[in-house]
Amino acid sequence: MRRFFVWSALAALVGLLIAGGGYWAYWQFHARFQPVVVDRNQGAVQTLLDGSGWVSGGGGGRPVYIVGYRDSAAMQRYEREEAPKLRAAGVEVRIIVFARPDREGLQQSTAAERATVAELWLSRDWSLYERWTATPTASWTAAGLPKADGNLARMAVVEAGRGFSRDLSELLGGAGLQTSWPLVIWRDEAGFLKACACTDPRSWAFIRDDLGAPDRVAADVPPTGLPEPLEGSAQPLPYPDVPPTTAEPAPTTETPPAPTGPAAPRKAPEATKDEETTFF
């Protein structure tokens, strides 16, 4: 009987270990990358999104919000790799950027970044956002934009963006989402509001599945309309636009007209005499 209890206890322990290992593997490789369904404060979250200074390149269908800050490498990668796939599914990608607040007395944003964020929230200028993200951070000076520092109205807009990110984090934290940037927020086909802290690429597939986006997008057709070169061959250069040439007039070979009047008689040479010879 004692041996039976020992073996039963060992079997139960092994079963618990297997179950625990299975749950750990499920959480580690699948569950923790799934988006969360915002089942609390959906109206408050939607109000924040609608009132924010998002920018968009256009498009119809359901909106998808990508929230983050300029120097977030994870946000830049997600937008670069996933935004074209979402647009291919007819989704409107809306970008919301904010300037991070100071932390322990250290600034986490630059004056140029704050000026650009204020301008984007006020003007919703997509072309400005494209120029900003296409320029290295160290080279961006926000030339031509009004400064936010020292401008009470524009600094209020910057602080509004910071408050937006803080309030959004608190509301989504109530749904069990640990905030990290970028945050991606959308509604599925059933209308449920979902959110994802998409720092890990393993979470991106869940968003594509919800929105019906493809896993890959076709390569763009070359703008010249020429077929793509074969692998290993040099790509031909486009033919240059040469301006039309004008024909130069041919050189004339006409001889001067002959004189019509009688020729004047030549004067006979006069003799000159040297010391020893006479010349004509």
Side-chain angles (χ1 to χ4, degrees):
M1 181 64 67
R2 183 178 179 181
R3 183 176 298 178
F4 172 78
F5 283 115
V6 171
W7 284 108
S8 298
L10 288 175
L13 179 61
V14 171
L16 288 175
L17 291 176
I18 293 175
Y23 178 78
W24 177 86
Y26 170 75
W27 169 259
Q28 182 71 18
F29 299 107
H30 183 77
R32 71 189 182 101
F33 302 112
Q34 287 184 332
V36 300
V37 178
V38 184
D39 52 1
R40 298 173 56 186
N41 303 316
Q42 289 192 26
V45 172
Q46 190 63 58
T47 300
L48 279 177
L49 296 174
D50 294 339
S52 65
W54 52 266
V55 294
S56 170
R62 290 170 291 172
V64 173
Y65 296 89
I66 303 176
V67 186
Y69 55 92
R70 172 65 176 86
D71 289 338
S72 171
M75 179 176 177
Q76 295 176 17
R77 182 183 177 188
Y78 182 83
E79 184 181 355
R80 180 178 63 252
E81 298 183 14
E82 294 297 301
K85 302 173 186 177
L86 299 179
R87 294 189 181 98
V91 173
E92 181 185 6
V93 178
R94 297 179 177 180
I95 310 294
I96 305 175
V97 289
F98 62 91
R100 291 177 294 172
D102 298 348
R103 184 176 182 180
E104 298 180 357
L106 297 177
Q107 287 188 341
Q108 297 190 94
S109 63
T110 62
E113 180 181 357
R114 293 189 290 273
T116 308
V117 168
E119 182 66 23
L120 287 175
W121 275 62
L122 292 173
S123 66
R124 306 284 187 89
D125 189 348
W126 175 252
S127 62
L128 171 61
Y129 178 76
E130 287 184 311
R131 296 196 304 271
W132 185 29
T133 54
T135 305
T137 303
S139 303
W140 181 259
T141 60
L145 300 181
K147 294 182 179 180
D149 295 359
N151 188 318
L152 293 179
R154 289 186 174 265
M155 276 307 299
V157 176
V158 174
E159 292 299 333
R162 292 169 173 172
F164 162 82
S165 65
R166 181 177 58 254
D167 295 342
L168 186 63
S169 300
E170 293 177 357
L171 291 174
L172 295 180
L177 182 67
Q178 186 176 0
T179 301
S180 58
W181 310 105
L183 286 176
V184 182
I185 307 171
W186 74 99
R187 289 188 181 271
D188 61 11
E189 295 182 354
F192 290 102
L193 189 65
K194 292 186 176 181
C196 169
C198 291
T199 56
D200 196 301
R202 286 173 286 187
S203 60
W204 299 352
F206 295 103
I207 304 175
R208 295 196 301 268
D209 292 342
D210 258 9
L211 299 172
D215 294 334
R216 297 180 181 178
V217 290
D220 295 334
V221 179
T224 57
L226 299 175
E228 296 184 359
L230 298 177
E231 185 177 359
S233 62
Q235 185 175 0
L237 296 175
Y239 193 81
D241 295 327
V242 181
T245 58
T246 56
E248 297 182 357
T252 58
T253 57
E254 298 178 358
T255 57
T260 56
R266 293 181 62 184
K267 184 179 179 180
E270 297 180 358
T272 59
K273 189 174 182 181
D274 199 357
E275 295 180 358
E276 298 180 355
T277 310
T278 301
F279 297 94
F280 289 92

